[in-house]
Amino acid sequence: MARTVDNREIAIRLSGVKKRYKLGQIGGATLQEDLQSWWARIRGKEDPNVPVGMDQRLVGKTFMALNGVDLTVYKGEALGIIGGNGAGKSTMLKLLCRVTAPTEGEIDIYGRIASMLEVGTGFNGEMTGRENIYMNGAILGMSRAEIDEKMEAIIEFSEVREFIDTPTKRYSSGMFVKLAFSVAAHLNSEIMIMDEVLAVGDVQFQKKCLDRMRAAAKQEGRTVLYVSHNMNTIRQLCDRCIVMDKGRIVFEGDVEEAIGVYYGKGETLQLVNDCDHTTREPIGDGAMHIRTVRILDREAPIVYEGEDLKLKLTFSSERDFTGIAFRTIFFTAGSVPVGMAASEPVLKVRGGENQAVFRLPLPQLAEGEYFGRVVLYEVNEYGAEIVHDVVNAAFSLRKAFRINVNDTSKRWNQQYWGSVVFPNIQVTEE
């Protein structure tokens, strides 16, 4: 099988990979699980290997943890893997690390793998930190001399120098993570696989780990697969991202778009949004009800640099109001708030059906996809706000923008530069 595609060297390739489990029957992932299930049935107890809350009528039926996964990962790439609990992320990584075997399909791996699937994976609690470093290096095929060469860097990075000759069973979970990550990051492996491992470490160590993984991919040409529920770390590290759901890959591509799909904001952009089928915030008193939000004066929900966003709201009201205002909060496709814009409280509303048109300049909004939360509220005679209706993702759009209109080769990079374009810096002599 070819190891290159479009002159890019392949690190990992999965083709039609499936993983099937028979819940509650002999045939688990390990002999230990099989014995646990058998002993529970003998005693008439609940099977410890059946997921919590799983309907017991499913015991003995087939459960597809992975159901036809096709994926190619290239050398030097940092790939993010996101999805809800039970989506199949950890199962896929276990297959890559050969903890278990696929039921169907093929997995091709070109290089040695250093992995952290959970805290302390591959560590022997009776051995010291130093001894575990030697053991992990030996598993990767390194000689003692090669490990000795890396030892000082591993200990220094791990921040557990004073405990390095202490049995690891006495380590806290944070110390486990620090040493285990340091080992995986510094030993000679072409592929690093990390499964939610930074959740235990402190903030400063998380930042150091992200910097190390980024350097491993960008400078050393190593391949990084990173699973996390922390979208900020996914943004900081990854070049590309996949979204998994029910054992399948449902999206593969840009990081921000992937995060948008994960948060349920990845629907096709549209000019008209029916707000009766959109999530509402419970803070509105219900005196008004937004029906639709329409983007006007364009054939597609794309706003180009120099153009204003024009929105038309249709809504119902229980009675007449004066002093009604409109507010919208912009979010990236990954649900990160960008900014807010509000109107003056000058809108007069009558009981029944209403409509209003708002114009909003967007000069500092960077290129990318966004959605807007819409708020209708009243400012009473005392200056207090009374919120009547709040609709999440009431509209969505793409802002099209170039850094320099005369240089079409350089486009805005939202992942690294953010969502706000500041005015040009002025050079002065003072």
Side-chain angles (χ1 to χ4, degrees):
M1 186 175 291
R3 288 195 56 182
T4 59
V5 173
D6 297 330
N7 295 321
R8 301 178 67 188
E9 190 172 349
I10 295 173
I12 298 172
R13 175 153 42 196
L14 291 82
S15 303
V17 172
K18 297 182 180 181
K19 182 62 180 178
R20 182 185 300 113
Y21 290 106
K22 292 183 179 180
L23 297 178
Q25 291 189 349
I26 295 296
T30 65
L31 176 61
Q32 180 183 5
E33 290 182 7
D34 289 345
L35 291 174
Q36 287 175 341
S37 299
W38 172 79
W39 183 237
R41 287 200 304 275
I42 291 295
R43 295 181 299 154
K45 302 290 185 180
E46 184 175 308
D47 190 338
N49 295 312
V50 174
V52 175
M54 179 68 71
D55 190 333
Q56 292 297 313
R57 291 173 298 177
L58 293 179
V59 173
K61 293 190 176 181
T62 295
F63 171 70
M64 297 298 295
L66 291 180
N67 194 8
V69 172
D70 297 298
L71 177 66
T72 300
V73 186
Y74 299 96
K75 180 179 178 181
E77 183 176 29
L79 177 72
I81 304 172
I82 59 177
N85 293 328
K89 307 183 301 296
S90 296
T91 298
M92 185 171 72
L93 297 191
K94 287 177 181 178
L95 294 179
L96 294 176
C97 296
R98 298 185 176 91
V99 174
T100 185
T103 306
E104 296 180 30
E106 296 181 354
I107 300 177
D108 298 303
I109 300 173
Y110 304 99
R112 292 172 295 185
I113 291 178
S115 65
M116 282 185 64
L117 302 184
E118 60 185 35
V119 176
T121 296
F123 275 37
N124 186 323
E126 300 298 329
M127 298 169 65
T128 67
R130 191 184 303 274
E131 290 168 341
N132 273 293
I133 293 173
Y134 281 114
M135 182 179 69
N136 275 263
I139 290 172
L140 286 172
M142 297 176 64
S143 67
R144 186 179 183 89
E146 290 174 320
I147 300 171
D148 286 338
E149 184 180 342
K150 303 276 188 178
M151 182 65 72
E152 182 59 30
I154 292 171
I155 295 174
E156 180 65 26
F157 188 94
S158 70
E159 302 177 358
V160 296
R161 181 180 296 277
E162 59 268 39
F163 308 106
I164 197 64
D165 293 310
T166 301
T168 55
K169 65 182 180 181
R170 299 178 185 172
Y171 284 18
S172 68
S173 58
M175 292 166 64
F176 250 123
V177 165
K178 288 182 175 183
L179 183 58
F181 180 89
S182 186
V183 170
H186 288 85
L187 294 183
N188 293 341
S189 61
E190 289 76 32
I191 302 169
M192 293 174 60
I193 294 181
M194 304 287 155
D195 187 359
E196 201 68 74
V197 295
L198 301 183
V200 181
D202 56 72
V203 173
Q204 291 301 319
F205 190 76
Q206 288 183 28
K207 182 179 183 302
K208 188 162 72 168
C209 290
L210 286 170
D211 290 342
R212 181 70 187 93
M213 286 192 284
R214 191 181 299 112
K218 303 304 179 188
Q219 299 171 20
E220 302 170 17
R222 298 168 72 180
T223 303
V224 178
L225 273 65
Y226 179 55
V227 169
S228 180
H229 290 287
N230 185 329
M231 297 302 113
N232 286 330
T233 61
I234 291 286
R235 287 188 179 95
Q236 292 174 51
L237 174 65
C238 301
D239 314 304
R240 186 164 63 99
C241 192
I242 64 172
V243 183
M244 298 194 67
D245 183 47
K246 298 178 181 178
R248 297 179 182 272
I249 295 175
V250 296
F251 179 86
E252 177 180 348
D254 177 75
V255 172
E256 286 299 330
E257 291 183 35
I259 294 173
V261 171
Y262 175 62
Y263 280 118
K265 304 298 189 302
E267 300 89 353
T268 302
L269 298 178
Q270 50 193 4
L271 286 171
V272 183
N273 186 25
D274 181 357
C275 296
D276 287 334
H277 300 93
T278 303
T279 305
R280 277 179 153 76
E281 290 290 332
I283 57 177
D285 64 6
M288 293 183 185
H289 187 84
I290 301 171
R291 300 292 185 187
T292 62
V293 177
R294 178 188 296 270
I295 299 176
L296 298 178
D297 298 343
R298 58 197 65 250
E299 297 179 357
I302 302 175
V303 179
Y304 291 95
E305 179 63 15
E307 297 180 345
D308 293 345
L309 172 65
K310 195 174 180 181
L311 295 175
K312 180 179 180 180
L313 274 64
T314 60
F315 58 96
S316 59
S317 178
E318 291 182 347
R319 56 185 175 85
D320 293 351
F321 286 98
T322 58
I324 297 299
F326 159 85
R327 179 165 62 233
T328 182
I329 301 96
F330 284 85
F331 296 82
T332 67
S335 295
V336 176
V338 174
M340 184 274 291
S343 71
E344 293 293 328
V346 296
L347 193 64
K348 294 182 179 180
V349 173
R350 66 180 186 276
E353 299 301 315
N354 294 266
Q355 63 182 35
V357 176
F358 301 90
R359 185 184 298 275
L360 176 63
L362 302 174
Q364 291 185 301
L365 195 65
E367 179 176 340
E369 288 191 3
Y370 302 89
F371 68 91
R373 176 184 296 162
V374 168
V375 184
L376 276 181
Y377 62 99
E378 176 185 2
V379 179
N380 65 18
E381 57 185 319
Y382 305 106
E385 283 189 8
I386 303 171
V387 176
H388 295 311
D389 198 12
V390 182
V391 179
N392 287 323
F395 64 91
S396 54
L397 60 90
R398 170 173 284 279
K399 175 69 180 293
F401 172 79
R402 299 184 189 278
I403 298 176
N404 184 339
V405 295
N406 297 317
D407 180 10
T408 59
S409 65
K410 193 172 184 181
R411 299 178 66 87
W412 187 266
N413 191 324
Q414 190 181 41
Q415 179 181 355
Y416 296 106
W417 298 338
S419 299
V420 176
V421 183
F422 292 100
N424 288 338
I425 296 173
Q426 302 298 315
V427 180
T428 67
E429 296 180 356
E430 297 181 359

